[in-house]
């Protein structure tokens, strides 16, 4: 899948590994009843999970009665290989997007209770919803970025990057000690407090903005539909 930028951008990237960070906001860890992690919690989603565009359809999976949204800021990576020790953000970040880490919460909870992997709950078709990207060069500095999420016109999540436990400068070296990081890989940077259930016909709007919510950089829309 080719990754698209909002407007013209001469660089082209083929989507690679979808890396995700769990519990990267203190208040989200608390709302889920978990301890705040001392080291990054990393999981991956398969390629079939990825849906990409400015307006996406979310098919409600038949296996769950608790499909939850988790809004996130997403990084498009330029690569770097193994053991990335030090870098400037421009060397490894090609662009920014917003999107959804969708979770079948009931299946995830049951798998955790049994001590089993919870890949199914996070890796089903359409579980990684990603907007278009804006190029790194045209975006404000990372520490000035923020995003908001509405469900049916109700504000449900709002967060700024300075609330993250682990910044990209911490995450990329950690990840690259385990996985080779390649051009086109995506990094979901974690969700803030406010996650919740979705229902068929729900409409989601997300905005990437600066610390001032009126300074909008990117829009993303999605609608929940029946599983086809």
């Amino acid at each position: 899948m080719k990754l698209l930028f909002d407007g013209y951008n001469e660089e082209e990237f083929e989507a690679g590994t979808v890396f995700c960070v769990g519990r990267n906001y203190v208040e989200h860890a608390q709302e889920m009843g978990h301890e705040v992690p001392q080291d990054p919690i990393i999981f991956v989603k398969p390629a079939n999970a990825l849906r990409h565009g400015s307006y996406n359809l979310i098919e409600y999976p038949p296996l769950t009665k608790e499909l939850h949204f988790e809004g996130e800021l997403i990084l498009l990576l330029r690569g770097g290989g193994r053991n990335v020790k030090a870098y400037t953000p421009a060397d490894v970040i090609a662009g920014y997007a917003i999107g959804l880490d969708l979770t079948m919460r009931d299946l995830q909870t049951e798998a955790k209770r049994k001590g089993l992997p919870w890949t199914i709950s996070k890796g089903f078709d359409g579980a990684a919803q990603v907007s278009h990207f804006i190029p790194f060069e045209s975006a404000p500095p990372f520490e000035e970025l923020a995003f908001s999420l509405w469900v049916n016109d109700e504000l449900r999540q709002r967060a700024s990057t300075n609330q993250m436990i682990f910044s990209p400068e911490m995450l990329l070296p950690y990840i690259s000690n385990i996985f080779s990081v390649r051009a086109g890989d995506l990094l979901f940077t974690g969700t803030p407090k406010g996650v919740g259930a979705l229902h068929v016909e729900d409409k989601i709007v997300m905005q990437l903005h600066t610390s001032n919510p009126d300074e909008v950089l990117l829009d993303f829309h999605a609608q929940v539909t029946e599983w086809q």
Side-chain angles (χ1 to χ4, degrees), residues 5 11 13 73-80 87-97 133-137 139 141-142 145 167-169 172 181 185 187 189:
F5 285 81
E11 291 189 276
F13 293 85
L73 172 67
I74 301 161
L75 310 184
L76 170 59
L77 304 180
R78 295 188 188 278
Y87 61 89
T88 61
D91 290 334
V92 293
I93 301 174
Y96 298 110
F133 289 85
I134 58 171
F136 174 88
E137 293 77 11
F142 178 81
L145 295 176
S167 68
E169 286 83 359
L172 264 296
V181 178
D185 288 349
L187 178 58
T189 56

PDB file of all heavy atoms in Angstrom, residues 5 11 13 73-80 87-97 133-137 139 141-142 145 167-169 172 181 185 187 189:
ATOM      1  N   PHE A   5       0.232  11.545   1.107  1.00  0.00           N
ATOM      2  CA  PHE A   5       0.378  12.791   1.844  1.00  0.00           C
ATOM      3  C   PHE A   5      -0.789  13.713   1.536  1.00  0.00           C
ATOM      4  O   PHE A   5      -1.422  13.619   0.477  1.00  0.00           O
ATOM      5  CB  PHE A   5       1.702  13.472   1.490  1.00  0.00           C
ATOM      6  CG  PHE A   5       2.900  12.820   2.113  1.00  0.00           C
ATOM      7  CD1 PHE A   5       3.469  11.688   1.545  1.00  0.00           C
ATOM      8  CD2 PHE A   5       3.449  13.314   3.280  1.00  0.00           C
ATOM      9  CE1 PHE A   5       4.566  11.075   2.118  1.00  0.00           C
ATOM     10  CE2 PHE A   5       4.547  12.721   3.866  1.00  0.00           C
ATOM     11  CZ  PHE A   5       5.110  11.594   3.278  1.00  0.00           C
ATOM     12  N   GLU A  11       8.098  12.563  -2.151  1.00  0.00           N
ATOM     13  CA  GLU A  11       8.556  11.289  -1.603  1.00  0.00           C
ATOM     14  C   GLU A  11       7.437  10.253  -1.656  1.00  0.00           C
ATOM     15  O   GLU A  11       6.267  10.581  -1.464  1.00  0.00           O
ATOM     16  CB  GLU A  11       9.016  11.454  -0.159  1.00  0.00           C
ATOM     17  CG  GLU A  11      10.292  12.244   0.006  1.00  0.00           C
ATOM     18  CD  GLU A  11      10.791  12.180   1.430  1.00  0.00           C
ATOM     19  OE1 GLU A  11      10.313  12.987   2.243  1.00  0.00           O
ATOM     20  OE2 GLU A  11      11.651  11.333   1.739  1.00  0.00           O
ATOM     21  N   PHE A  13       6.359   6.285  -0.169  1.00  0.00           N
ATOM     22  CA  PHE A  13       6.657   5.235   0.797  1.00  0.00           C
ATOM     23  C   PHE A  13       5.646   4.112   0.636  1.00  0.00           C
ATOM     24  O   PHE A  13       4.454   4.359   0.467  1.00  0.00           O
ATOM     25  CB  PHE A  13       6.590   5.771   2.233  1.00  0.00           C
ATOM     26  CG  PHE A  13       7.658   6.766   2.579  1.00  0.00           C
ATOM     27  CD1 PHE A  13       7.492   8.103   2.280  1.00  0.00           C
ATOM     28  CD2 PHE A  13       8.829   6.344   3.190  1.00  0.00           C
ATOM     29  CE1 PHE A  13       8.484   9.025   2.590  1.00  0.00           C
ATOM     30  CE2 PHE A  13       9.821   7.257   3.514  1.00  0.00           C
ATOM     31  CZ  PHE A  13       9.644   8.600   3.223  1.00  0.00           C
ATOM     32  N   LEU A  73      -1.632   9.728  17.558  1.00  0.00           N
ATOM     33  CA  LEU A  73      -0.725  10.374  16.619  1.00  0.00           C
ATOM     34  C   LEU A  73       0.180   9.298  16.035  1.00  0.00           C
ATOM     35  O   LEU A  73       0.686   8.438  16.771  1.00  0.00           O
ATOM     36  CB  LEU A  73       0.108  11.442  17.336  1.00  0.00           C
ATOM     37  CG  LEU A  73       1.236  12.083  16.529  1.00  0.00           C
ATOM     38  CD1 LEU A  73       0.670  12.919  15.390  1.00  0.00           C
ATOM     39  CD2 LEU A  73       2.115  12.938  17.432  1.00  0.00           C
ATOM     40  N   ILE A  74       0.387   9.341  14.718  1.00  0.00           N
ATOM     41  CA  ILE A  74       1.121   8.290  14.021  1.00  0.00           C
ATOM     42  C   ILE A  74       2.307   8.900  13.285  1.00  0.00           C
ATOM     43  O   ILE A  74       2.173   9.939  12.626  1.00  0.00           O
ATOM     44  CB  ILE A  74       0.198   7.559  13.029  1.00  0.00           C
ATOM     45  CG1 ILE A  74      -0.993   6.953  13.779  1.00  0.00           C
ATOM     46  CG2 ILE A  74       0.960   6.478  12.256  1.00  0.00           C
ATOM     47  CD1 ILE A  74      -2.172   6.627  12.900  1.00  0.00           C
ATOM     48  N   LEU A  75       3.460   8.251  13.405  1.00  0.00           N
ATOM     49  CA  LEU A  75       4.662   8.685  12.711  1.00  0.00           C
ATOM     50  C   LEU A  75       4.931   7.783  11.518  1.00  0.00           C
ATOM     51  O   LEU A  75       4.815   6.559  11.617  1.00  0.00           O
ATOM     52  CB  LEU A  75       5.881   8.642  13.636  1.00  0.00           C
ATOM     53  CG  LEU A  75       5.778   9.311  15.006  1.00  0.00           C
ATOM     54  CD1 LEU A  75       7.129   9.240  15.709  1.00  0.00           C
ATOM     55  CD2 LEU A  75       5.293  10.722  14.898  1.00  0.00           C
ATOM     56  N   LEU A  76       5.301   8.386  10.386  1.00  0.00           N
ATOM     57  CA  LEU A  76       5.813   7.662   9.230  1.00  0.00           C
ATOM     58  C   LEU A  76       7.331   7.736   9.303  1.00  0.00           C
ATOM     59  O   LEU A  76       7.910   8.825   9.364  1.00  0.00           O
ATOM     60  CB  LEU A  76       5.298   8.289   7.934  1.00  0.00           C
ATOM     61  CG  LEU A  76       5.923   7.802   6.625  1.00  0.00           C
ATOM     62  CD1 LEU A  76       5.742   6.303   6.438  1.00  0.00           C
ATOM     63  CD2 LEU A  76       5.333   8.570   5.449  1.00  0.00           C
ATOM     64  N   LEU A  77       7.984   6.572   9.295  1.00  0.00           N
ATOM     65  CA  LEU A  77       9.424   6.517   9.531  1.00  0.00           C
ATOM     66  C   LEU A  77      10.203   6.398   8.227  1.00  0.00           C
ATOM     67  O   LEU A  77       9.767   5.747   7.277  1.00  0.00           O
ATOM     68  CB  LEU A  77       9.748   5.329  10.437  1.00  0.00           C
ATOM     69  CG  LEU A  77       8.994   5.316  11.783  1.00  0.00           C
ATOM     70  CD1 LEU A  77       9.389   4.086  12.600  1.00  0.00           C
ATOM     71  CD2 LEU A  77       9.245   6.590  12.563  1.00  0.00           C
ATOM     72  N   ARG A  78      11.371   7.030   8.224  1.00  0.00           N
ATOM     73  CA  ARG A  78      12.259   6.969   7.057  1.00  0.00           C
ATOM     74  C   ARG A  78      13.139   5.730   7.074  1.00  0.00           C
ATOM     75  O   ARG A  78      13.772   5.393   6.090  1.00  0.00           O
ATOM     76  CB  ARG A  78      13.172   8.190   7.025  1.00  0.00           C
ATOM     77  CG  ARG A  78      12.474   9.507   6.819  1.00  0.00           C
ATOM     78  CD  ARG A  78      13.488  10.622   6.610  1.00  0.00           C
ATOM     79  NE  ARG A  78      12.856  11.922   6.607  1.00  0.00           N
ATOM     80  CZ  ARG A  78      12.255  12.470   5.559  1.00  0.00           C
ATOM     81  NH1 ARG A  78      12.200  11.798   4.412  1.00  0.00           N
ATOM     82  NH2 ARG A  78      11.708  13.668   5.635  1.00  0.00           N
ATOM     83  N   GLY A  79      13.208   5.048   8.202  1.00  0.00           N
ATOM     84  CA  GLY A  79      14.064   3.876   8.328  1.00  0.00           C
ATOM     85  C   GLY A  79      15.106   4.092   9.413  1.00  0.00           C
ATOM     86  O   GLY A  79      14.898   4.841  10.353  1.00  0.00           O
ATOM     87  N   GLY A  80      16.238   3.438   9.245  1.00  0.00           N
ATOM     88  CA  GLY A  80      17.296   3.568  10.239  1.00  0.00           C
ATOM     89  C   GLY A  80      17.952   2.256  10.583  1.00  0.00           C
ATOM     90  O   GLY A  80      19.041   2.225  11.143  1.00  0.00           O
ATOM     91  N   TYR A  87      19.880  10.480  16.786  1.00  0.00           N
ATOM     92  CA  TYR A  87      19.408  10.990  15.514  1.00  0.00           C
ATOM     93  C   TYR A  87      18.733  12.331  15.725  1.00  0.00           C
ATOM     94  O   TYR A  87      18.372  12.699  16.839  1.00  0.00           O
ATOM     95  CB  TYR A  87      18.413  10.015  14.874  1.00  0.00           C
ATOM     96  CG  TYR A  87      17.171   9.779  15.725  1.00  0.00           C
ATOM     97  CD1 TYR A  87      16.056  10.600  15.579  1.00  0.00           C
ATOM     98  CD2 TYR A  87      17.124   8.773  16.670  1.00  0.00           C
ATOM     99  CE1 TYR A  87      14.926  10.414  16.362  1.00  0.00           C
ATOM    100  CE2 TYR A  87      15.999   8.572  17.448  1.00  0.00           C
ATOM    101  CZ  TYR A  87      14.905   9.402  17.286  1.00  0.00           C
ATOM    102  OH  TYR A  87      13.791   9.216  18.062  1.00  0.00           O
ATOM    103  N   THR A  88      18.554  13.047  14.641  1.00  0.00           N
ATOM    104  CA  THR A  88      17.669  14.198  14.666  1.00  0.00           C
ATOM    105  C   THR A  88      16.326  13.736  14.121  1.00  0.00           C
ATOM    106  O   THR A  88      16.276  12.833  13.281  1.00  0.00           O
ATOM    107  CB  THR A  88      18.210  15.352  13.803  1.00  0.00           C
ATOM    108  OG1 THR A  88      18.318  14.896  12.447  1.00  0.00           O
ATOM    109  CG2 THR A  88      19.584  15.801  14.297  1.00  0.00           C
ATOM    110  N   PRO A  89      15.199  14.311  14.582  1.00  0.00           N
ATOM    111  CA  PRO A  89      13.889  13.852  14.107  1.00  0.00           C
ATOM    112  C   PRO A  89      13.768  13.833  12.590  1.00  0.00           C
ATOM    113  O   PRO A  89      13.159  12.916  12.023  1.00  0.00           O
ATOM    114  CB  PRO A  89      12.927  14.850  14.747  1.00  0.00           C
ATOM    115  CG  PRO A  89      13.612  15.264  16.000  1.00  0.00           C
ATOM    116  CD  PRO A  89      15.077  15.311  15.650  1.00  0.00           C
ATOM    117  N   ALA A  90      14.363  14.811  11.903  1.00  0.00           N
ATOM    118  CA  ALA A  90      14.258  14.864  10.441  1.00  0.00           C
ATOM    119  C   ALA A  90      14.913  13.659   9.778  1.00  0.00           C
ATOM    120  O   ALA A  90      14.571  13.307   8.644  1.00  0.00           O
ATOM    121  CB  ALA A  90      14.881  16.154   9.910  1.00  0.00           C
ATOM    122  N   ASP A  91      15.848  13.027  10.469  1.00  0.00           N
ATOM    123  CA  ASP A  91      16.538  11.871   9.892  1.00  0.00           C
ATOM    124  C   ASP A  91      15.654  10.633   9.849  1.00  0.00           C
ATOM    125  O   ASP A  91      15.866   9.747   9.025  1.00  0.00           O
ATOM    126  CB  ASP A  91      17.800  11.545  10.697  1.00  0.00           C
ATOM    127  CG  ASP A  91      18.881  12.594  10.535  1.00  0.00           C
ATOM    128  OD1 ASP A  91      18.897  13.270   9.488  1.00  0.00           O
ATOM    129  OD2 ASP A  91      19.697  12.736  11.462  1.00  0.00           O
ATOM    130  N   VAL A  92      14.691  10.538  10.754  1.00  0.00           N
ATOM    131  CA  VAL A  92      13.922   9.293  10.862  1.00  0.00           C
ATOM    132  C   VAL A  92      12.420   9.470  10.713  1.00  0.00           C
ATOM    133  O   VAL A  92      11.710   8.494  10.479  1.00  0.00           O
ATOM    134  CB  VAL A  92      14.204   8.584  12.200  1.00  0.00           C
ATOM    135  CG1 VAL A  92      15.630   8.092  12.269  1.00  0.00           C
ATOM    136  CG2 VAL A  92      13.889   9.478  13.367  1.00  0.00           C
ATOM    137  N   ILE A  93      11.907  10.693  10.833  1.00  0.00           N
ATOM    138  CA  ILE A  93      10.469  10.925  10.708  1.00  0.00           C
ATOM    139  C   ILE A  93      10.184  11.594   9.366  1.00  0.00           C
ATOM    140  O   ILE A  93      10.674  12.683   9.082  1.00  0.00           O
ATOM    141  CB  ILE A  93       9.936  11.798  11.855  1.00  0.00           C
ATOM    142  CG1 ILE A  93      10.210  11.142  13.208  1.00  0.00           C
ATOM    143  CG2 ILE A  93       8.433  12.041  11.686  1.00  0.00           C
ATOM    144  CD1 ILE A  93       9.842  11.995  14.399  1.00  0.00           C
ATOM    145  N   ALA A  94       9.377  10.924   8.525  1.00  0.00           N
ATOM    146  CA  ALA A  94       9.016  11.481   7.224  1.00  0.00           C
ATOM    147  C   ALA A  94       7.712  12.258   7.267  1.00  0.00           C
ATOM    148  O   ALA A  94       7.491  13.150   6.438  1.00  0.00           O
ATOM    149  CB  ALA A  94       8.907  10.369   6.188  1.00  0.00           C
ATOM    150  N   GLY A  95       6.829  11.926   8.200  1.00  0.00           N
ATOM    151  CA  GLY A  95       5.543  12.612   8.245  1.00  0.00           C
ATOM    152  C   GLY A  95       4.741  12.230   9.469  1.00  0.00           C
ATOM    153  O   GLY A  95       5.103  11.313  10.220  1.00  0.00           O
ATOM    154  N   TYR A  96       3.642  12.964   9.651  1.00  0.00           N
ATOM    155  CA  TYR A  96       2.737  12.747  10.776  1.00  0.00           C
ATOM    156  C   TYR A  96       1.332  12.486  10.252  1.00  0.00           C
ATOM    157  O   TYR A  96       0.881  13.104   9.279  1.00  0.00           O
ATOM    158  CB  TYR A  96       2.681  13.978  11.678  1.00  0.00           C
ATOM    159  CG  TYR A  96       3.982  14.359  12.326  1.00  0.00           C
ATOM    160  CD1 TYR A  96       4.665  15.508  11.937  1.00  0.00           C
ATOM    161  CD2 TYR A  96       4.533  13.579  13.340  1.00  0.00           C
ATOM    162  CE1 TYR A  96       5.856  15.867  12.540  1.00  0.00           C
ATOM    163  CE2 TYR A  96       5.720  13.928  13.949  1.00  0.00           C
ATOM    164  CZ  TYR A  96       6.382  15.076  13.540  1.00  0.00           C
ATOM    165  OH  TYR A  96       7.569  15.429  14.142  1.00  0.00           O
ATOM    166  N   ALA A  97       0.627  11.585  10.936  1.00  0.00           N
ATOM    167  CA  ALA A  97      -0.785  11.324  10.645  1.00  0.00           C
ATOM    168  C   ALA A  97      -1.516  11.176  11.974  1.00  0.00           C
ATOM    169  O   ALA A  97      -0.914  11.184  13.052  1.00  0.00           O
ATOM    170  CB  ALA A  97      -0.947  10.075   9.796  1.00  0.00           C
ATOM    171  N   PHE A 133      -0.903  11.750   5.474  1.00  0.00           N
ATOM    172  CA  PHE A 133       0.221  12.295   6.234  1.00  0.00           C
ATOM    173  C   PHE A 133       0.504  13.740   5.832  1.00  0.00           C
ATOM    174  O   PHE A 133       0.220  14.142   4.700  1.00  0.00           O
ATOM    175  CB  PHE A 133       1.485  11.466   5.998  1.00  0.00           C
ATOM    176  CG  PHE A 133       1.437  10.105   6.631  1.00  0.00           C
ATOM    177  CD1 PHE A 133       0.839   9.038   5.980  1.00  0.00           C
ATOM    178  CD2 PHE A 133       1.978   9.896   7.889  1.00  0.00           C
ATOM    179  CE1 PHE A 133       0.781   7.782   6.569  1.00  0.00           C
ATOM    180  CE2 PHE A 133       1.923   8.636   8.482  1.00  0.00           C
ATOM    181  CZ  PHE A 133       1.327   7.588   7.826  1.00  0.00           C
ATOM    182  N   ILE A 134       1.063  14.488   6.760  1.00  0.00           N
ATOM    183  CA  ILE A 134       1.668  15.770   6.409  1.00  0.00           C
ATOM    184  C   ILE A 134       3.172  15.593   6.522  1.00  0.00           C
ATOM    185  O   ILE A 134       3.655  14.888   7.411  1.00  0.00           O
ATOM    186  CB  ILE A 134       1.176  16.927   7.292  1.00  0.00           C
ATOM    187  CG1 ILE A 134       1.449  16.667   8.776  1.00  0.00           C
ATOM    188  CG2 ILE A 134      -0.300  17.199   7.059  1.00  0.00           C
ATOM    189  CD1 ILE A 134       1.184  17.877   9.656  1.00  0.00           C
ATOM    190  N   PRO A 135       3.952  16.198   5.601  1.00  0.00           N
ATOM    191  CA  PRO A 135       5.406  16.008   5.642  1.00  0.00           C
ATOM    192  C   PRO A 135       6.009  16.594   6.917  1.00  0.00           C
ATOM    193  O   PRO A 135       5.551  17.614   7.434  1.00  0.00           O
ATOM    194  CB  PRO A 135       5.900  16.764   4.404  1.00  0.00           C
ATOM    195  CG  PRO A 135       4.700  16.938   3.539  1.00  0.00           C
ATOM    196  CD  PRO A 135       3.522  17.000   4.448  1.00  0.00           C
ATOM    197  N   PHE A 136       7.038  15.939   7.396  1.00  0.00           N
ATOM    198  CA  PHE A 136       7.743  16.419   8.577  1.00  0.00           C
ATOM    199  C   PHE A 136       8.183  17.873   8.392  1.00  0.00           C
ATOM    200  O   PHE A 136       8.076  18.681   9.316  1.00  0.00           O
ATOM    201  CB  PHE A 136       8.967  15.530   8.836  1.00  0.00           C
ATOM    202  CG  PHE A 136       9.848  16.030   9.949  1.00  0.00           C
ATOM    203  CD1 PHE A 136       9.598  15.659  11.259  1.00  0.00           C
ATOM    204  CD2 PHE A 136      10.928  16.874   9.690  1.00  0.00           C
ATOM    205  CE1 PHE A 136      10.399  16.126  12.299  1.00  0.00           C
ATOM    206  CE2 PHE A 136      11.732  17.336  10.710  1.00  0.00           C
ATOM    207  CZ  PHE A 136      11.463  16.965  12.016  1.00  0.00           C
ATOM    208  N   GLU A 137       8.669  18.189   7.191  1.00  0.00           N
ATOM    209  CA  GLU A 137       9.256  19.506   6.951  1.00  0.00           C
ATOM    210  C   GLU A 137       8.236  20.632   7.066  1.00  0.00           C
ATOM    211  O   GLU A 137       8.604  21.778   7.367  1.00  0.00           O
ATOM    212  CB  GLU A 137       9.916  19.547   5.561  1.00  0.00           C
ATOM    213  CG  GLU A 137      11.135  18.662   5.416  1.00  0.00           C
ATOM    214  CD  GLU A 137      10.796  17.181   5.247  1.00  0.00           C
ATOM    215  OE1 GLU A 137       9.607  16.860   5.028  1.00  0.00           O
ATOM    216  OE2 GLU A 137      11.721  16.345   5.344  1.00  0.00           O
ATOM    217  N   ALA A 139       5.535  20.526   9.109  1.00  0.00           N
ATOM    218  CA  ALA A 139       4.828  20.440  10.392  1.00  0.00           C
ATOM    219  C   ALA A 139       5.565  21.233  11.463  1.00  0.00           C
ATOM    220  O   ALA A 139       6.779  21.447  11.376  1.00  0.00           O
ATOM    221  CB  ALA A 139       4.708  18.983  10.823  1.00  0.00           C
ATOM    222  N   PRO A 141       7.275  21.708  15.246  1.00  0.00           N
ATOM    223  CA  PRO A 141       8.067  20.748  16.022  1.00  0.00           C
ATOM    224  C   PRO A 141       7.173  19.755  16.753  1.00  0.00           C
ATOM    225  O   PRO A 141       6.050  20.087  17.147  1.00  0.00           O
ATOM    226  CB  PRO A 141       8.835  21.645  17.004  1.00  0.00           C
ATOM    227  CG  PRO A 141       8.881  22.984  16.349  1.00  0.00           C
ATOM    228  CD  PRO A 141       7.619  23.103  15.570  1.00  0.00           C
ATOM    229  N   PHE A 142       7.684  18.542  16.937  1.00  0.00           N
ATOM    230  CA  PHE A 142       6.908  17.469  17.550  1.00  0.00           C
ATOM    231  C   PHE A 142       6.287  17.883  18.870  1.00  0.00           C
ATOM    232  O   PHE A 142       5.124  17.591  19.151  1.00  0.00           O
ATOM    233  CB  PHE A 142       7.797  16.232  17.750  1.00  0.00           C
ATOM    234  CG  PHE A 142       7.107  15.083  18.415  1.00  0.00           C
ATOM    235  CD1 PHE A 142       6.289  14.234  17.680  1.00  0.00           C
ATOM    236  CD2 PHE A 142       7.244  14.850  19.781  1.00  0.00           C
ATOM    237  CE1 PHE A 142       5.642  13.169  18.289  1.00  0.00           C
ATOM    238  CE2 PHE A 142       6.602  13.791  20.389  1.00  0.00           C
ATOM    239  CZ  PHE A 142       5.797  12.953  19.645  1.00  0.00           C
ATOM    240  N   LEU A 145       2.804  19.500  18.824  1.00  0.00           N
ATOM    241  CA  LEU A 145       1.676  18.814  18.201  1.00  0.00           C
ATOM    242  C   LEU A 145       0.671  18.329  19.240  1.00  0.00           C
ATOM    243  O   LEU A 145       1.026  18.006  20.373  1.00  0.00           O
ATOM    244  CB  LEU A 145       2.161  17.631  17.378  1.00  0.00           C
ATOM    245  CG  LEU A 145       3.031  17.944  16.165  1.00  0.00           C
ATOM    246  CD1 LEU A 145       3.518  16.658  15.512  1.00  0.00           C
ATOM    247  CD2 LEU A 145       2.274  18.807  15.156  1.00  0.00           C
ATOM    248  N   SER A 167       8.854   9.527  24.419  1.00  0.00           N
ATOM    249  CA  SER A 167       8.936  10.337  23.207  1.00  0.00           C
ATOM    250  C   SER A 167       9.547   9.506  22.079  1.00  0.00           C
ATOM    251  O   SER A 167      10.127   8.436  22.322  1.00  0.00           O
ATOM    252  CB  SER A 167       9.810  11.561  23.470  1.00  0.00           C
ATOM    253  OG  SER A 167      11.156  11.149  23.666  1.00  0.00           O
ATOM    254  N   PRO A 168       9.464   9.993  20.825  1.00  0.00           N
ATOM    255  CA  PRO A 168      10.131   9.274  19.730  1.00  0.00           C
ATOM    256  C   PRO A 168      11.623   9.081  19.967  1.00  0.00           C
ATOM    257  O   PRO A 168      12.185   8.047  19.589  1.00  0.00           O
ATOM    258  CB  PRO A 168       9.876  10.180  18.516  1.00  0.00           C
ATOM    259  CG  PRO A 168       8.611  10.869  18.836  1.00  0.00           C
ATOM    260  CD  PRO A 168       8.651  11.116  20.318  1.00  0.00           C
ATOM    261  N   GLU A 169      12.268  10.066  20.603  1.00  0.00           N
ATOM    262  CA  GLU A 169      13.702   9.938  20.887  1.00  0.00           C
ATOM    263  C   GLU A 169      13.994   8.763  21.814  1.00  0.00           C
ATOM    264  O   GLU A 169      15.098   8.217  21.794  1.00  0.00           O
ATOM    265  CB  GLU A 169      14.236  11.232  21.507  1.00  0.00           C
ATOM    266  CG  GLU A 169      14.398  12.376  20.521  1.00  0.00           C
ATOM    267  CD  GLU A 169      13.107  13.138  20.255  1.00  0.00           C
ATOM    268  OE1 GLU A 169      12.054  12.767  20.832  1.00  0.00           O
ATOM    269  OE2 GLU A 169      13.134  14.097  19.482  1.00  0.00           O
ATOM    270  N   LEU A 172      12.350   5.113  19.363  1.00  0.00           N
ATOM    271  CA  LEU A 172      13.045   4.573  18.191  1.00  0.00           C
ATOM    272  C   LEU A 172      14.285   3.769  18.557  1.00  0.00           C
ATOM    273  O   LEU A 172      14.483   2.661  18.029  1.00  0.00           O
ATOM    274  CB  LEU A 172      13.381   5.698  17.213  1.00  0.00           C
ATOM    275  CG  LEU A 172      12.369   5.893  16.076  1.00  0.00           C
ATOM    276  CD1 LEU A 172      12.334   4.665  15.183  1.00  0.00           C
ATOM    277  CD2 LEU A 172      10.981   6.198  16.600  1.00  0.00           C
ATOM    278  N   VAL A 181      14.232  -1.185  11.673  1.00  0.00           N
ATOM    279  CA  VAL A 181      13.272  -0.144  11.293  1.00  0.00           C
ATOM    280  C   VAL A 181      13.533   0.233   9.837  1.00  0.00           C
ATOM    281  O   VAL A 181      14.651   0.589   9.462  1.00  0.00           O
ATOM    282  CB  VAL A 181      13.417   1.095  12.205  1.00  0.00           C
ATOM    283  CG1 VAL A 181      12.454   2.186  11.781  1.00  0.00           C
ATOM    284  CG2 VAL A 181      13.177   0.700  13.659  1.00  0.00           C
ATOM    285  N   ASP A 185       7.739   2.159   7.601  1.00  0.00           N
ATOM    286  CA  ASP A 185       7.180   1.661   8.857  1.00  0.00           C
ATOM    287  C   ASP A 185       6.376   2.764   9.538  1.00  0.00           C
ATOM    288  O   ASP A 185       6.692   3.960   9.413  1.00  0.00           O
ATOM    289  CB  ASP A 185       8.290   1.191   9.801  1.00  0.00           C
ATOM    290  CG  ASP A 185       8.933  -0.107   9.360  1.00  0.00           C
ATOM    291  OD1 ASP A 185       8.401  -0.766   8.449  1.00  0.00           O
ATOM    292  OD2 ASP A 185       9.984  -0.467   9.937  1.00  0.00           O
ATOM    293  N   LEU A 187       4.537   4.168  13.221  1.00  0.00           N
ATOM    294  CA  LEU A 187       4.592   4.079  14.672  1.00  0.00           C
ATOM    295  C   LEU A 187       3.377   4.772  15.271  1.00  0.00           C
ATOM    296  O   LEU A 187       3.254   5.995  15.229  1.00  0.00           O
ATOM    297  CB  LEU A 187       5.874   4.725  15.207  1.00  0.00           C
ATOM    298  CG  LEU A 187       6.031   4.745  16.740  1.00  0.00           C
ATOM    299  CD1 LEU A 187       5.985   3.329  17.309  1.00  0.00           C
ATOM    300  CD2 LEU A 187       7.318   5.442  17.141  1.00  0.00           C
ATOM    301  N   THR A 189       1.749   6.062  18.393  1.00  0.00           N
ATOM    302  CA  THR A 189       2.471   6.516  19.584  1.00  0.00           C
ATOM    303  C   THR A 189       1.675   6.384  20.879  1.00  0.00           C
ATOM    304  O   THR A 189       2.135   6.845  21.928  1.00  0.00           O
ATOM    305  CB  THR A 189       2.919   7.972  19.409  1.00  0.00           C
ATOM    306  OG1 THR A 189       1.774   8.791  19.128  1.00  0.00           O
ATOM    307  CG2 THR A 189       3.935   8.104  18.281  1.00  0.00           C
TER     308      THR A 189
END
